[in-house]
Structure formats: structure tokens, C-alpha cells
């Protein structure tokens, strides 16, 4: 079976949520985006109905990208085209090709670049960015409940910079209340001036559609970070916030492998990397909100240093969660194995054991995953994890702490035995604060630099 056309059939703006209906040929799907703390009628009075519809159209466009996992020939955006300007078409292709390189690799697709976007040629609008009202230096900080977002908020708080928090749940990760409750426990350790919640319900991702109708397809790919940037814009309008900060680390800029067949890098984390950050920041400022600024507070440092800095807050360890399979931890996936590795490298063993209650180094199912992390396989796991040398460095710290397990035995035999490895040079790279390769506004970076 092949899908010819995916289409945005409807976009409805209700008082507290967006309702988007998509089709893929004869199949129908819906995505609902609920905002717990804002009113669209109030936003329309404060700004304009046109601006609200324009932002909603961008959300609908990029939420629909996940249906491109079906490799359609066309993406029909006629329903929302009047709210979009031409530059968004180029942005869509850049985001699609960056995010979907992994999907192409997993399905060995070398002859498909993107769907052809179709719409009435006369319907696109002109770019008309408008200012966020007010002059609010409070930062809107994303919080996913993991180590990165809580560390970023700790850094802001200890630097005396006011911030509001934004958390969101997605039906692919389970029930919304469970996700929000987990994140709320993390937020108890900081003091945002306000906390916003977004809940997303998505039946294309949530249902068994792909497995039943396209079992040969490797799975659904979604531009989760890029679309969340657009979904945050309503909150920025509501609070008058000019600055949006997420907590993406320098490690996200490195891909999993170089795919010779296409002559390009495949990076699972491309959507949260520095290149995507810059593209989205410029696009939104030039086309939607003229005084908008998006950056990552942790872009100057690698994951290695993030784990190290996070170890200052042992009281938060039992509250964080990062697993995308079963929250808080499934203890069987690459993300769980990687986070556990970093925690074991920098925290006292008993604190980590109290949370995980297992020695993941000794789990036979995880041995192949640890091998991938250590650069002993074709590529690193397709997950949000650090570079090969980062994993090796953290594994070395675990070995020096006299920890044990099958994965550590492999590390000792196949890596630590290599006397040519310059461990000091590796640690210098990953423990360094890079003061130029980021987009943090100067006034913020000057206040937080010592905390990084």
C-alpha cells in the first residue's frame, strides 16, 4: 500500500485547545493541543485573530509532518495556506530532511527527499512579523522532567534570572496526568514565576495504524522539538515573554553515523541541535514575532559536564525521568542505559541504586546497546545520548569506582586496553564551557557562565 496525499482537512481554534484533522488518502487522524493556562479569546483581543490563526497554522503544518512517515507523494496544505508565508515552505523542507534522515536510513530509502507541498498558488500570505507586547525579560523555560531542564532552571534561579516554566505531555508517552505529575515533582525544586501546561493527544501516533497497515515501515518519526517551539508561541504571547529557552546540550549536534549512500549525516537529535535552533529562531523572528529569541541554555556544554553539574543536586535525582518507553524508567532502552551510566559516573552508587534498583551494566539485553554507545557497532543508538567518547569517559569513571558488570568488562577489554587513547585530552573537551558556539543573549550568558 502507498499513500498518495496527506492533507490538513480542518483546523479549529477553541477556547483552550486546537483541533487539527488530517487525512492520509482514505484514513483520518486528529491532533488536539490543549493549553491549560491560556484563553484564545483573550489572546485574540490582546493581539488579533489573524495572528492567532497564523501561529495555529504553523502548528498544524509541522504537526502534520509526522504523517510524512508514510512517504506520501503530496502534502496538501490548502486549508491553512492563507495563514502561511512562502518562507515556511523552505523551512518545512529543511526541518523534514534534518529530522527524517534517520527514517530514511532505517527504511533504506535513497530516492525520496520530501513530499511535494500543494496549495492554491495565490493563497500564500506575505510575511508580517508583529511584536510580543510588553518588555518582559522573564524567560520561558521548557521542562520535560529530565536532568537537562532542571539543571537549566537551577542555573537561571541561582543566577537571579526570573523564569516561567512550560511543561507538556504527549499521548505517545502515556496518560497526561501521570506525565504532568512527574514533571511537577521536578518543578518543586525550583521557583518559576508561573507554570504553563500543554497536553497533546494524537491518535496517529497513539493507535496501531502503522503496525497494521504498514508493517514494513520502521516507525513514526515526528519533529517533536521544532513543533514544540511553535506550540510555545501562544504562551509567549500570553505572558509577554521575549525569550524562549530549552535545555539542549552540545552533544546533540553530533550525528549517529555518516550514511555513504546519501552522502549525509544521520542525527537522531537534529531537531534539538544548534543548526535547527538557529533556523527556527531566525524564521520566527522574521515571519511571526519580531522580538522573539529562542536559544538553548546548555548549548555551551556537553552532556558529560551536565551530568557533573547535575550531581550537585542529589535531592532531585529521584524525581527526574527521561525514558520514552515507560516513565519514569523502563531500564531496558538506550536512554535508560545512558542516563544510568552518567548518573553512576557522578553520583554515589547508593543514591542511583535506590532509584533503578538494578545493575544495568550486568543486563544481558543492554550489552549490545552499551557496545553501540562505546563505538563498538555500526552506529550509536538512535536516542538522545552523548558522543562515543563521552560514553567512554563516563564508563572509565565507573570502572575507576570499582563498579562491575558485563558492559564494564567489555569496556576494559576492548577500549581501556588501548594505551593510545589520550584520556586527558578527551576530558578537556567534554568538561569545557564553550563561550562562542551558542546563541544565548549576552546579558544572560554573562550571568550564567560561572554556573555552567
Amino acid at each position: 500500500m502507498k499513500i498518495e496525499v496527506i492533507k490538513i482537512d480542518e483546523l479549529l481554534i477553541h477556547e483552550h485547545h486546537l483541533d487539527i484533522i488530517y487525512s492520509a488518502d482514505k484514513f483520518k487522524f486528529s491532533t488536539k493541543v490543549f493549553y491549560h493556562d491560556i484563553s484564545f479569546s483573550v489572546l485574540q483581543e490582546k493581539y488579533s485573530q489573524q495572528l492567532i490563526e497564523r501561529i495555529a497554522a504553523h502548528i498544524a503544518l509541522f504537526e502534520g509532518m509526522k504523517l510524512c512517515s508514510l512517504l506520501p507523494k503530496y502534502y496538501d496544505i490548502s486549508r491553512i495556506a492563507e495563514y502561511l508565508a512562502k518562507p515556511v515552505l523552505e523551512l518545512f523542507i529543511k526541518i523534514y530532511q534534518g529530522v527524517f534522515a534517520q527514517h530514511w536510513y532505517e527504511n533504506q530509502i535513497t530516492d525520496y527527499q520530501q513530499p511535494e507541498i500543494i496549495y492554491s498558488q495565490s493563497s500564500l500570505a506575505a510575511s508580517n512579523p508583529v511584536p510580543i507586547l510588553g518588555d518582559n525579560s522573564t524567560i520561558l523555560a521548557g521542562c520535560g522532567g529530565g536532568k537537562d531542564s532542571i539543571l537549566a532552571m537551577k542555573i537561571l534561579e541561582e543566577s537571579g534570572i526570573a523564569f516561567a516554566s512550560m511543561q507538556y505531555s504527549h499521548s505517545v508517552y502515556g496518560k497526561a496526568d501521570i506525565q504532568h505529575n512527574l514533571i511537577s515533582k521536578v518543578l518543586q525544586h525550583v521557583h518559576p514565576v508561573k507554570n504553563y501546561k500543554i497536553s497533546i493527544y494524537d491518535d496517529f501516533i497513539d493507535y496501531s495504524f502503522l503496525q497494521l497497515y504498514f508493517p514494513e515501515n520502521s516507525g513514526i518519526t515526528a519533529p517533536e522539538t521544532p513543533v514544540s517551539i511553535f506550540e510555545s508561541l501562544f504562551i509567549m504571547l500570553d505572558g509577554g515573554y521575549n525569550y524562549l529557552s530549552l535545555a539542549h546540550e552540545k552533544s546533540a549536534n553530533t550525528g549517529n553515523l555518516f550514511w555513504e549512500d546519501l552522502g549525509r549525516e544521520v542525527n537522531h537529535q537534529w531537531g534539538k541541535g544548534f543548526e535547527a535552533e538557529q533556523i527556527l529562531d531566525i524564521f520566527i523572528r522574521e515571519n511571526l514575532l519580531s522580538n522573539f529569541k529562542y536559544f538553548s541554555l546548555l548549548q555551551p556544554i556537553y552532556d558529560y559536564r551536565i551530568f557533573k553539574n547535575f550531581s550537585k543536586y542529589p535531592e532531585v535525582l529521584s524525581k527526574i525521568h527521561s525514558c520514552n518507553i515507560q516513565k519514569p524508567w523502563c531500564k531496558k532502552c538506550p536512554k535508560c542505559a545512558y542516563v544510568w551510566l552518567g548518573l553512576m559516573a557522578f553520583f554515589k552508587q547508593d543514591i542511583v541504586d535506590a532509584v533503578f534498583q538494578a545493575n544495568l551494566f550486568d543486563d544481558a539485553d543492554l550489552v549490545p546497546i552499551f557496545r553501540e554507545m562505546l563505538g563498538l557497532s555500526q552506529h550509536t543508538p538512535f536516542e538522545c545520548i552523548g558522543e562515543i567518547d563521552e560514553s567512554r569517559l563516563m564508563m572509565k569513571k565507573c570502572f575507576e569506582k570499582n563498579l562491575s558488570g558485563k558492559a564494564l568488562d567489555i569496556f576494559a577489554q576492548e577500549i581501556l586496553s588501548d594505551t593510545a587513547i589520550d584520556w586527558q585530552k578527551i576530558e578537556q573537551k567534554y568538561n569545557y564551557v564553550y563561550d562562542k558556539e551558542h546563541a544565548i543573549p549576552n546579558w544572560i550568558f554573562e550571568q550564567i557562565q560561572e554556573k555552567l
Side-chain angles (χ1 to χ4, degrees), residues 254-267:
T254 300
N256 302 81
L257 75 149
F258 186 84
W259 190 15
E260 296 288 351
D261 290 359
L262 279 190
R264 65 174 297 157
E265 188 177 59
V266 175
N267 183 1

Side-chain angles (χ1 to χ4, degrees), residues 427-445:
E427 185 157 13
Q428 284 175 345
K429 173 184 176 179
Y430 292 111
N431 198 33
Y432 190 74
V433 178
Y434 293 81
D435 59 3
K436 291 185 173 61
E437 300 164 22
H438 63 80
I440 304 172
N442 288 336
W443 73 269
I444 298 174
F445 187 69

Side-chain angles (χ1 to χ4, degrees), residues 382-414:
F382 289 128
E383 249 299 355
C384 295
I385 67 171
E387 295 183 0
I388 289 170
D389 278 346
E390 265 181 295
S391 294
R392 290 181 173 189
L393 193 59
M394 292 190 292
M395 191 77 83
K396 181 171 179 285
K397 289 186 73 70
C398 291
F399 184 83
E400 291 167 348
K401 291 170 76 171
N402 294 319
L403 301 178
S404 63
K406 295 182 182 73
L408 278 167
D409 293 340
I410 292 168
F411 171 75
Q413 292 163 11
E414 301 190 39

Side-chain angles (χ1 to χ4, degrees), residues 114 118 180 202 306 370 422 446:
Q114 72 271 334
I118 56 176
H180 285 303
D202 189 319
I306 291 172
F370 280 118
D422 188 340
E446 289 170 1

Side-chain angles (χ1 to χ4, degrees), residues 191-370:
H191 302 88
V193 296
K194 187 168 182 178
N195 179 34
Y196 292 88
K197 294 179 183 177
I198 301 175
S199 298
I200 300 172
Y201 300 87
D202 189 319
D203 62 17
F204 175 64
I205 291 178
D206 213 22
Y207 292 171
S208 302
F209 174 79
L210 208 70
Q211 300 94 307
L212 293 173
Y213 290 95
F214 296 89
E216 74 285 354
N217 194 311
S218 67
I220 295 170
T221 296
E224 191 168 3
T225 297
V227 75
S228 73
I229 303 303
F230 287 104
E231 286 163 347
S232 74
L233 298 184
F234 288 130
I235 293 175
M236 299 191 74
L237 294 179
D238 181 74
Y241 307 122
N242 300 116
Y243 301 99
L244 172 65
S245 173
L246 298 188
H248 300 146
E249 67 286 349
K250 195 172 186 64
S251 313
N253 302 328
T254 300
N256 302 81
L257 75 149
F258 186 84
W259 190 15
E260 296 288 351
D261 290 359
L262 279 190
R264 65 174 297 157
E265 188 177 59
V266 175
N267 183 1
H268 173 82
Q269 302 186 81
W270 186 88
K272 52 184 272 200
F274 191 42
E275 181 184 0
E277 177 186 313
Q278 291 177 300
I279 291 169
L280 288 160
D281 175 52
I282 293 169
F283 174 84
I284 292 171
R285 195 160 49 252
E286 291 183 349
N287 295 279
L288 289 172
L289 303 175
S290 58
N291 53 353
F292 167 88
K293 179 62 183 172
Y294 161 49
F295 59 93
S296 168
L297 202 77
L298 302 184
Q299 186 59 231
I301 56 177
Y302 281 98
D303 235 355
Y304 177 83
R305 190 170 177 90
I306 291 172
F307 277 111
K308 180 180 178 182
N309 289 347
F310 180 58
S311 67
K312 301 172 189 173
Y313 311 104
E315 70 279 4
V316 187
L317 176 55
S318 63
K319 308 292 179 60
I320 65 166
H321 61 280
S322 291
C323 181
N324 295 321
I325 308 297
Q326 180 182 334
K327 295 186 181 299
W329 309 105
C330 76
K331 296 182 261 190
K332 286 290 184 180
C333 72
K335 190 66 176 291
C336 285
Y338 177 73
V339 174
W340 187 81
L341 168 63
L343 296 177
M344 291 298 283
F346 287 102
F347 283 80
K348 291 180 179 178
Q349 181 179 349
D350 60 334
I351 299 176
V352 185
D353 285 346
V355 174
F356 284 84
Q357 298 181 337
N359 179 4
L360 301 195
F361 286 141
D362 223 16
D363 187 324
D365 294 336
L366 292 177
V367 167
I369 291 172
F370 280 118

